[in-house]
């Protein structure tokens, strides 16, 4: 499709390739620095909430409920843009992350470096995770 | 774990949270610009190949086989770093992408912009996709 081609939102959502659990992967990226913050999952409802409220809302697979990022930690992801990929089975959220994205207090959840010999912790927490959940 | 904490590779791979199909999500990001290029899947073998060969090898869910990125298109992803996330169920690959990552000839697969009203194509192909697969 040519640049500028449009489709109404409802039609676009109908065509997303949610998996057999009704979920789609969502990658959150910090809009100004480009840092990849985390990967999470959305169902259709959480995506609609995200678009409507302007902040990331995921589906928590462990708790089986909607998860407005930051609702307990205060570390909200303000939404700037949402992108869908070529085959409609992944989302990229450009966000402005308040504080750390990770429950360990790190800016990004991707803090283990893996190479042919070992895995190593390569990032420091921004703050004590005990201060995130009171 | 403190910064610098290490674990041998085999032990780290044993602890990755592959899903019930033996797969883990992998996000590919262009190492210098930070552009998120694509999201794909890996099994343990493809991850080991990636680390060994220094270029991204995924597991193709549609073809149910190893997929050395660029093997048919020539658009190889040279590996710079691999990161694992906090709960071990997602990978971030920092790569140097040769040409377009997307089969449509676009640099990134994330070329649909989604907002509260519509979805719109916002990126141009770098080259004619017909030239990628001969």
């Amino acid at each position: 499709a040519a640049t500028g081609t449009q489709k109404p939102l409802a039609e676009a959502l109908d065509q997303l390739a949610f998996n057999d659990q009704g979920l789609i992967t969502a990658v959150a990226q910090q809009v100004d620095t480009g840092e990849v913050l985390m990967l999470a999952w959305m169902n259709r409802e959480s995506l609609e909430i995200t678009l409507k409220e302007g902040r990331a809302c995921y589906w928590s697979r462990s708790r089986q409920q909607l998860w407005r990022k930051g609702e307990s930690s205060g570390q909200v992801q303000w939404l700037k843009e949402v992108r869908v990929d070529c085959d409609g089975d992944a989302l990229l959220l450009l966000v402005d992350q308040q504080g750390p994205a990770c429950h360990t207090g790190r800016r990004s959840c991707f803090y283990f470096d893996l190479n042919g010999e070992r895995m190593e912790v390569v990032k420091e927490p921004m703050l004590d995770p005990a201060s995130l959940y009171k």
Side-chain angles (χ1 to χ4, degrees), chain A:
Chain A
T3 303
T5 304
Q6 296 192 6
K7 188 173 284 189
L9 178 65
E11 191 182 322
L13 296 182
D14 285 344
Q15 291 172 4
L16 289 181
F18 293 99
N19 70 13
D20 56 7
Q21 294 160 68
L23 302 177
I24 191 169
T25 48
V27 177
Q29 182 180 31
Q30 174 63 27
V31 65
D32 49 359
T33 65
E35 185 170 19
V36 173
L37 300 168
M38 58 185 279
L39 185 142
W41 294 80
M42 288 186 166
N43 60 10
R44 180 163 174 158
E45 184 184 7
S46 68
L47 176 55
E48 288 174 333
I49 290 171
T50 296
L51 292 169
K52 186 174 175 187
E53 298 185 355
R55 51 177 285 190
C57 176
Y58 300 104
W59 177 256
S60 168
R61 294 180 303 169
S62 56
R63 290 180 284 133
Q64 288 286 303
Q65 62 182 44
L66 291 171
W67 166 33
R68 284 176 174 80
K69 176 72 180 162
E71 64 193 347
S72 56
S73 67
Q75 311 306 317
V76 173
Q77 290 180 342
W78 300 109
L79 187 71
K80 300 301 174 183
E81 291 182 45
V82 182
R83 297 273 166 80
V84 180
D85 78 345
C86 52
D87 51 3
D89 69 353
L91 303 173
L92 175 64
L93 274 65
L94 299 173
V95 300
D96 191 12
Q97 168 74 55
Q98 183 83 28
C102 186
H103 72 288
T104 64
R106 290 176 175 84
R107 181 69 169 170
S108 164
C109 294
F110 293 93
Y111 62 82
F112 294 106
D113 181 74
L114 191 68
N115 68 28
E117 296 178 356
R118 52 99 197 108
M119 188 168 81
E120 178 177 348
V121 175
V122 293
K123 294 196 183 190
E124 287 285 334
M126 297 172 68
L127 48 77
D128 182 351
S131 70
L132 285 173
Y133 306 96
K134 291 164 209 163

